[in-house]
Amino acid sequence: MATRTINLIDISASCRREVAMIDQQQFRELMSGVCAPVTVVTTIFDDIPFGMTVSSFASLSLEPPLVSLAVDRASSLLTPIQQAGRFAVNILSHAQDELAMVFARRDVDRFGVADWYLEAGLPRLIDAPSWVECDLYRTVEAGDHLLLLGLVRSAKRSPDVAPLIYANRTFGTHSRFAERPRPAIADLIAACTR
């Protein structure tokens, strides 16, 4: 499947107006407070595995099944994904923060440190509880990043494992809402019909 790069429409000069924008540091501070899943995105090209930690992963569409991730234009992972035309998303567990740090560093042999194997021809990290196999569906220009859209071919999930998340510049996981009494579902349905 051929991939396409989509450029966002530029507003013509006659329609532009001066708009105040948040400065980069304020934007970083704002976004540091948003919880994000921690993943390691991998691919393989010319029998060489590539991977890096990505926290900009999200579901996008059910029909067709699409996910998205944002990758810096200078990333060493971007070209191999574009050349291979496919990638995997290893969704990390709450106990894999050290692995996330390994794949975030540039000065280490990431696949020499991590335990992994090939699944569907893509690198899968051994203890990652969830895994998504994707074809590169589209590439969208997005400022200093490219938004990669992945068509999901297969996925596996271990439902009883808490995910690793990143917020406020630290790793963690989420907890259940405080337990509270809830009315039976039949009572809720009956209340809606009144």
Side-chain angles (χ1 to χ4, degrees):
M1 170 185 288
T3 61
R4 294 185 292 164
T5 299
I6 300 171
N7 295 309
L8 299 179
I9 299 170
D10 190 22
I11 300 172
S12 69
S14 63
C15 295
R16 289 185 193 159
R17 61 185 171 95
E18 287 296 315
V19 178
M21 289 192 304
I22 190 170
D23 72 47
Q24 286 185 3
Q25 190 55 40
Q26 285 179 307
F27 188 62
R28 282 188 182 111
E29 287 298 317
L30 170 73
M31 296 311 296
S32 73
V34 176
C35 290
V38 182
T39 70
V40 171
V41 175
T42 60
T43 195
I44 196 161
F45 185 72
D46 283 342
D47 295 326
I48 301 169
F50 296 88
M52 73 174 199
T53 301
V54 173
S55 61
S56 59
F57 170 72
S59 64
L60 185 62
S61 168
L62 287 174
E63 186 55 44
L66 297 173
V67 295
S68 69
L69 53 108
V71 178
D72 189 298
R73 291 174 184 272
S75 167
S76 61
L77 182 62
L78 184 58
T79 298
I81 287 177
Q82 291 173 318
Q83 291 172 329
R86 51 198 310 256
F87 60 91
V89 181
N90 295 267
I91 302 168
L92 302 185
S93 79
H94 65 90
Q96 293 182 299
D97 53 326
E98 289 180 16
L99 187 60
M101 292 303 298
V102 165
F103 277 87
R105 294 176 50 193
R106 292 190 174 136
D107 62 341
V108 66
D109 175 9
R110 297 166 179 166
F111 288 93
V113 174
D115 293 326
W116 64 282
Y117 62 98
L118 289 177
E119 181 162 331
L122 291 166
R124 180 169 182 184
L125 302 177
I126 287 200
D127 291 324
S130 298
W131 186 79
V132 183
E133 172 200 359
C134 299
D135 287 340
L136 182 58
Y137 184 72
R138 290 217 174 94
T139 304
V140 180
E141 302 277 338
D144 57 4
H145 282 59
L146 290 178
L147 189 63
L148 304 183
L149 308 184
L151 178 65
V152 177
R153 293 296 182 184
S154 68
K156 294 183 179 172
R157 179 175 175 255
S158 298
D160 297 330
V161 179
L164 182 63
I165 61 170
Y166 190 74
N168 296 313
R169 296 185 178 87
T170 190
F171 293 111
T173 193
H174 76 78
S175 60
R176 295 172 54 121
F177 290 112
E179 293 294 325
R180 60 185 186 271
R182 292 182 169 82
I185 189 72
D187 295 340
L188 291 174
I189 293 170
C192 292
T193 61
R194 293 183 196 145

